[in-house]
Amino acid sequence: ARPLASRVAPLLRMSTALEKLDALIARVELAAREQSTTASTKSAPAPARSSNDSAKAKAPAASAGSDQPDITKIDFRVARILSAKKHPDADSLYVERIDVGEEEPRTVISGVAKFIPLEAMQDRPCVVVANMKPANMRGIKSHAMILCAENADRTSIDIVCPPAGAKAGEPIRPVDNCFGAFEPLPQLNPKKKIFERVAELLGTDGDGALVYDGKPLATADGSRCVSEMKNCKVR
């Protein structure tokens, strides 16, 4: 018979080898679990955002003055037509030189030739929107717009007149600043349709006074602008 030690030694070596094998298997299983967890985390969908979150992400930051009423962006001024002549390329247009309270008169094109005689356009007081974007009208650039009252079918037009004695360049505003402080824009952006929205509420009242949303527009001393046409739209 073989000695006991010689028979036990191989068993001990086999036991040690099995322990190492178990440890190796354990490490492989742990590595596999960690890899699986990492892959699941990467492939998991992002948590759903609420509609409020989406709105916040999409909504641009509010621009300065975005809540400013449209009427307070318009530069209404007392003005005076110094001279007018027919447009060389359009029978319905006049070309005017208008004093708006600046160093030099502005060239303004108005489509009133079919309604107002040329002689009535000379040295005439008026009210203008002074911050319109200059626009070419049949080859001549216009640098403001005269306010006119008109009837419903636009068969009659009258130029809105500022208060007697008012000087060219004086601002015209709703009385008592009822729409807030006026901060006219340097120039209106035609794409934003600011004046078009204002014009929807611009008109004359039963006395012919210029009004916006029923509130009179006047110079700083409260004197009102008027037209001979009552209860009409103004553009």
Side-chain angles (χ1 to χ4, degrees), residues 20-116:
K20 291 181 178 180
L21 180 60
D22 289 341
L24 177 61
I25 292 172
R27 287 197 299 272
V28 171
E29 290 179 345
L30 178 60
R33 285 199 298 271
E34 290 177 348
Q35 185 176 2
S36 176
T37 301
T38 302
S40 298
T41 302
K42 291 181 177 179
S43 61
R49 293 190 301 177
S50 67
S51 57
N52 288 338
D53 291 336
S54 299
K56 289 178 182 178
K58 293 179 180 179
S63 59
S66 59
D67 58 347
Q68 180 185 352
D70 285 336
I71 183 65
T72 67
K73 302 174 184 178
I74 309 296
D75 187 3
F76 294 109
R77 295 190 204 176
V78 174
R80 177 172 288 274
I81 302 171
L82 302 177
S83 63
K85 61 183 180 180
K86 292 183 178 181
H87 193 295
D89 297 320
D91 293 339
S92 62
L93 302 178
Y94 285 144
V95 181
E96 304 117 5
R97 293 176 64 252
I98 299 183
D99 180 3
V100 298
E102 299 170 344
E103 290 185 5
E104 297 291 333
R106 294 192 191 185
T107 298
V108 179
I109 313 298
S110 302
V112 298
K114 293 183 178 180
F115 308 98
I116 301 174

Side-chain angles (χ1 to χ4, degrees), residues 28 41-42 48 52 97 124 131 154 156 160 170 180 230:
V28 171
T41 302
K42 291 181 177 179
N52 288 338
R97 293 176 64 252
R124 178 169 182 160
N131 60 343
R154 209 170 187 273
S156 182
V160 175
E170 283 190 53
K230 301 176 182 180

Side-chain angles (χ1 to χ4, degrees), residues 3 11 24 52 55 104 139 148 165 167 174 196 200 213 217 219-220:
L11 294 175
L24 177 61
N52 288 338
E104 297 291 333
C148 295
K167 296 181 179 179
E196 286 79 358
E200 292 177 2
D213 197 18
L217 275 69
T219 53

Side-chain angles (χ1 to χ4, degrees), residues 105-175:
R106 294 192 191 185
T107 298
V108 179
I109 313 298
S110 302
V112 298
K114 293 183 178 180
F115 308 98
I116 301 174
L118 185 58
E119 57 270 20
M121 294 291 292
Q122 314 301 321
D123 193 28
R124 178 169 182 160
C126 63
V127 175
V128 300
V129 176
N131 60 343
M132 302 290 285
K133 182 177 180 179
N136 280 311
M137 299 184 70
R138 301 294 294 272
I140 300 177
K141 188 167 287 188
S142 180
H143 296 268
M145 184 179 70
I146 295 174
L147 288 187
C148 295
E150 59 184 41
N151 59 0
D153 56 4
R154 209 170 187 273
T155 56
S156 182
I157 284 179
D158 181 51
I159 293 176
V160 175
C161 185
K167 296 181 179 179
E170 283 190 53
I172 295 171
R173 308 285 186 260
V175 294

